[in-house]
Amino acid sequence: IRLHRAFETANTREEIIKNIDEMTINGDLKREEAETLKQQITESLDGSIAGEWFDGGWDHLHCERTIILPNGKSKRPDRVMIDGNKAVVVDYKFGDKRSARYLEQVNEYMDLLHKMNLYDEIEGYVWYVNLGEINKIVK
């Protein structure tokens, strides 16, 4: 939950680190935990596609933005990045378990974006941050 909080408002990797520092100052994280998290995040972002997600170069960024469905229900992707006519959906998972349900969830987000008819290209990913693994959703 704390890691998710660090990611949910961050546009760049620097903002993730800043959020972790703020959680340390507020007493939500111990200094040792914070340093471990910062190292883990840096390693996760370096040399992976995730680094591109936090480079600050997107035209639009929507974090934790609710999509209201026609039936009144809603969906809330962790991160949707827009660059021109391309949308990239990312859902973060911080536990140590993989699940087909997570892939289905991102697939649903991608379908919703497709139905909006705003994007020519839509990509989706589940990022298991603790496991250092990124799964691309292939349609």
Side-chain angles (χ1 to χ4, degrees), residues 7 10-13 16 45 50-56 79 92 127:
F7 277 77
N11 187 26
T12 63
R13 70 173 59 208
I16 297 170
L45 295 176
E52 296 174 21
W53 301 335
F54 293 91
D55 67 3
R79 185 177 186 91
Y92 318 121
W127 182 15

Side-chain angles (χ1 to χ4, degrees), residues 95-107:
D96 294 330
K97 295 181 183 177
R98 295 171 191 85
S99 171
R101 175 66 191 127
Y102 301 150
L103 303 175
E104 292 168 13
Q105 184 180 22
V106 172
N107 198 29

